[in-house]
């Protein structure tokens, strides 16, 4: 049963019928405050079916975050243009003449001029920077740099720390990653909308592990067996734990952004679970200012009328996790096409303007 599309449609309906009208920096919105989305990953991959979703963009942006990248060139080179407007807006704001070139010219420069891309494709210390290279305290690097004094800010890799903690202390209540770096918000072209996430793990029961064993098509010839079944399942690499992820979002573009965010964090949960050999369990989104732009109202009304299809399944190329060669090796090796949704049936695309 696909309850995710129904939750989403109910949220659209609530905003339209009960929301508060506001004038914001980029247009009129209708909004509500403080809502939640919950999805059991066993019910299917959380890719909405009541409109066709931009899967390539979802995968590409997440891999971009995980690489610690903050320049749109990686996205542009992979024909994903969801951050173009933010970079272009920043470029235009820094020019002293009115002859700044069109958006198409700007993107062509990003593609072909390395120095231009290095300077103007940069978005500041947004998600990838905070996830992988949070600026920490100053540390003395004198010996490393062969200098008398060389105080350099340490870079805190929150994703690597999270993976390590999941492997060594999976019941910790500190399994968190934040993108909301107060000291660097003014350097970002856009402060993070989804500003942090937390994960939670629990031990799987013997029955749950047996179900995974059976689902994977394994056969055990030890029946009847009164010994250590958990130990036997360990030998087959059956996970011992389930993992859930909850993200927090201050500002929610409910028509264009939220479906993208749901799928992106669902994919992140799948990747983390694979990295630490756990089973994806529940995906939860805590949503702050949940709004529809005035230019999206008719599109939202159309989507509410559509009947959901069954959710698809995710297929990942598992070669990266065959050997434990390190998080960065895995991430840098991942290709966009390594992540496919199977049996994805959806309604047609509903076009709406992206309001930067």
């Amino acid at each position: 049963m696909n309850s995710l599309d129904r939750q989403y449609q109910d949220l659209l309906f609530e905003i339209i019928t009960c929301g508060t009208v506001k004038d914001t920096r980029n247009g009129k919105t209708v909004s509500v405050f403080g809502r939640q989305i919950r999805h059991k990953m066993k019910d299917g991959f959380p890719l909405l079916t009541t409109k066709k979703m931009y899967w390539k963009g979802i995968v590409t942006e997440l891999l971009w975050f995980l690489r610690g990248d903050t320049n749109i060139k990686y996205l542009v080179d992979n024909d994903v243009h969801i951050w173009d407007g933010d970079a272009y807006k920043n470029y235009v704001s820094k020019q002293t003449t009115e002859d700044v070139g069109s958006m198409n010219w700007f993107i062509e420069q990003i593609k072909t001029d390395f120095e231009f891309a290095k300077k103007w494709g940069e978005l500041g210390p947004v998600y990838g920077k905070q996830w992988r290279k949070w600026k920490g305290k100053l540390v003395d690097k004198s010996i490393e740099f062969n200098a008398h004094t060389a105080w350099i800010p340490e870079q805190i890799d929150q994703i690597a720390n999270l993976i390590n903690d999941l492997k060594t202390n999976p019941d910790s209540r500190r399994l968190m990653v934040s993108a909301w770096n107060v000291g660097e918000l003014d350097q970002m072209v856009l402060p993070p909308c989804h500003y942090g996430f937390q994960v939670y793990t629990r031990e799987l029961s013997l029955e749950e592990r047996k179900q995974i064993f059976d689902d994977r098509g394994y056969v055990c010839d030890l029946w009847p067996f009164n010994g250590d079944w958990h130990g036997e399942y360990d030998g087959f690499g059956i996970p011992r734990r389930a993992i859930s992820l909850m993200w927090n979002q201050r500002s929610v573009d409910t028509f264009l952004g939220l479906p993208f965010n749901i799928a992106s964090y669902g994919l992140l949960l799948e990747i983390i679970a694979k990295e630490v050999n756990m089973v994806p369990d529940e995906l939860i989104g805590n949503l702050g200012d949940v709004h529809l732009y005035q230019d999206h109202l008719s599109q939202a009304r159309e989507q509410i009328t559509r009947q959901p299809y069954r959710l698809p399944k995710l297929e990942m190329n598992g070669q990266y996790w065959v050997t434990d060669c390190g998080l960065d090796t895995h991430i840098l090796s991942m290709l966009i096409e390594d992540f496919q949704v199977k049996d994805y049936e959806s309604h047609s695309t509903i076009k709406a303007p992206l309001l930067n």
Side-chain angles (χ1 to χ4, degrees), residues 210-230:
K210 181 181 186 305
Q211 186 63 56
I212 297 169
F213 181 89
D214 293 341
D215 289 345
R216 292 185 179 181
Y218 292 136
V219 177
C220 184
D221 58 3
L222 295 177
W223 187 265
F225 177 62
N226 297 317
D228 179 14
W229 273 110
H230 279 299

Side-chain angles (χ1 to χ4, degrees), residues 245-268:
L245 183 150
M246 178 174 68
W247 86 91
N248 297 300
Q249 190 160 347
R250 64 171 180 87
S251 177
V252 187
D253 174 355
T254 310
F255 186 75
L256 286 181
L258 181 56
F260 204 97
N261 301 138
I262 293 169
S264 180
Y265 276 104
L267 180 57
L268 178 62

Side-chain angles (χ1 to χ4, degrees), residues 145-160:
F145 288 95
N146 194 27
H148 293 295
T149 56
W151 291 92
I152 308 295
E154 68 173 337
Q155 292 188 337
I156 300 170
D157 188 338
Q158 294 189 82
I159 298 295

Side-chain angles (χ1 to χ4, degrees), residues 69-72 87 90 110 117-126 189:
D69 201 346
T70 57
N71 194 295
I72 66 167
N90 179 60
I110 295 291
K118 183 178 179 181
K119 181 175 182 178
W120 296 114
E122 181 58 46
L123 301 173
V126 294
V189 297

Side-chain angles (χ1 to χ4, degrees), residues 39-47 55 59 62-63 66 163 166 197 199 216 239 243-245 262-283 311-318 321 327 330 334 338-341:
H39 172 67
K40 285 287 190 182
M41 296 296 287
K42 68 180 181 181
D43 293 337
F45 187 79
L47 193 67
W55 177 242
V59 177
L62 180 60
L63 294 183
L66 288 171
I163 297 301
L166 282 167
F197 66 91
V199 297
R216 292 185 179 181
I243 180 171
S244 297
L245 183 150
I262 293 169
S264 180
Y265 276 104
L267 180 57
L268 178 62
L269 175 55
E270 292 274 3
I271 291 173
I272 292 174
K274 196 72 172 177
E275 186 71 25
V276 297
N277 193 30
M278 295 183 186
V279 178
D281 195 2
E282 190 170 18
L283 180 69
L311 290 175
K313 299 295 183 183
L314 177 70
E315 288 192 345
M316 292 192 293
N317 183 347
W321 294 282
L327 176 67
H330 292 165
M334 292 175 189
D338 288 330
F339 302 90
Q340 302 289 334
V341 281

